[in-house]
Amino acid sequence: MTTTMAPASPGIGNTIAAEWTKLKSVRSTWIVVLAATVVSVGFSALFSFLTESDYKNLPAGQRVDFDAAGVSMVGMNLGLILISVLGVLAVSGEYSTGMMRLTLAITPHRGRVLLSKAVVVGLLSFVLGVLFAAAAFFLGQLILGVNPDIPTLGLDGHGVIRSLLGWGAEMAAFALLALSFGVMMRSAAGAIATAIAFIFAPAILGALLPTWVQRDILAYFPASAAEQLSTAKLDTGAVTYLGPLTGGGVLLTWVAVALVVAFSLMGKRDSG
């Protein structure tokens, strides 16, 4: 009597390679990356140019506390939205086309599939975030430097390296949150809307809420926590100040919880 052995499911390395192949072979991935590059670097350069032209009209207090790094990377906030969209698209497309059934048939270990997607999306988003931030920073400093009255910065400037790496971490974190929302909702529109709300809602609502709400609640939302990493010139007197270490820990916790919830729902639902 002969027995037929079931084919072994792919290992984690093969699954990661497969997820990378899927992500890079989709046209929308590169459209989103190109758009994120344009808004992150292009809008930052435009804002730096406008600031350089109007610097003499800034109030004296703003000139004293001028944040050259922040000005040169202001467009990164728009790029953050698009990288979050990338995180959603990395999973929502498979649900909408039914390809998730094939993915899980080849790799039945749903945790391995989710982990592989997270590794691919997280690493790509981190690298893009650092590259965008570096390009925006250096171009912005060149533009601001046209005006000799503006204090510009180099890589050795206070908080600059942390800010560049922090933008990579922030983009990776929001891409992973968006990826988790995509798994939870299995809807691109709903997941994108939720991700954008997580980015902007605390900042929009914060000024309208009591100080204790900002300090004890909004400060621990993902966007506020992420600012502790990506902002070069932190205001230690700000209501939402946590510090880079605490902010990084809070952001990591949000990502971990979102991925655990996504894994839990992925395991309970069918693959359709």
Side-chain angles (χ1 to χ4, degrees):
M1 179 182 293
T2 60
T3 58
T4 302
M5 300 295 292
S9 87
I12 185 66
N14 291 331
T15 307
I16 290 174
E19 292 300 332
W20 168 239
T21 299
K22 285 190 286 186
L23 187 63
K24 72 178 181 179
S25 63
V26 179
R27 182 186 303 174
S28 60
T29 296
W30 302 112
I31 293 175
V32 172
V33 169
L34 178 60
T37 305
V38 171
V39 299
S40 297
V41 181
F43 189 78
S44 295
L46 176 61
F47 191 77
S48 296
F49 173 76
L50 294 175
T51 302
E52 183 275 326
S53 302
D54 197 51
Y55 182 77
K56 62 180 181 298
N57 297 321
L58 291 179
Q62 291 186 26
R63 290 200 298 271
V64 170
D65 295 325
F66 187 74
D67 182 4
V71 167
S72 65
M73 292 186 281
V74 72
M76 293 294 293
N77 292 290
L78 297 176
L80 184 61
I81 297 175
L82 291 168
I83 293 299
S84 298
V85 171
L86 180 64
V88 172
L89 295 180
V91 66
S92 63
E94 286 191 76
Y95 280 116
S96 63
T97 61
M99 283 296 294
M100 185 60 76
R101 295 188 183 93
L102 178 60
T103 295
L104 295 178
I106 296 172
T107 309
H109 301 284
R110 300 187 182 206
R112 184 180 298 169
V113 172
L114 181 59
L115 176 61
S116 299
K117 289 182 180 295
V119 168
V120 169
V121 170
L123 285 178
L124 176 61
S125 300
F126 177 82
V127 171
L128 290 175
V130 174
L131 291 177
F132 293 166
F137 173 76
F138 287 117
L139 182 57
Q141 298 310 303
L142 284 174
I143 295 171
L144 293 173
V146 171
N147 188 334
D149 295 330
I150 298 179
T152 56
L153 298 169
L155 280 177
D156 57 346
H158 179 71
V160 170
I161 294 294
R162 173 177 52 75
S163 178
L164 299 182
L165 296 176
W167 272 114
E170 183 168 352
M171 287 202 167
F174 274 96
L176 291 176
L177 286 170
L179 172 72
S180 301
F181 298 148
V183 173
M184 295 176 202
M185 301 176 181
R186 298 195 283 189
S187 163
I192 290 171
T194 303
I196 292 175
F198 262 71
I199 295 172
F200 287 110
I204 294 173
L205 297 175
L208 306 176
L209 297 174
T211 300
W212 70 268
V213 175
Q214 298 179 49
R215 181 187 63 245
D216 299 331
I217 298 177
L218 293 186
Y220 295 92
F221 271 60
S224 297
E227 287 180 356
Q228 309 301 305
L229 300 175
S230 59
T231 303
K233 193 171 185 178
L234 286 170
D235 180 5
T236 58
V239 175
T240 56
Y241 175 79
L242 296 175
L245 188 59
T246 301
V250 169
L251 188 61
L252 182 61
T253 300
W254 274 102
V255 172
V257 169
L259 287 172
V260 168
V261 172
F263 170 71
S264 176
L265 292 176
M266 195 177 189
K268 293 176 180 177
R269 296 168 171 167
D270 60 35
S271 57

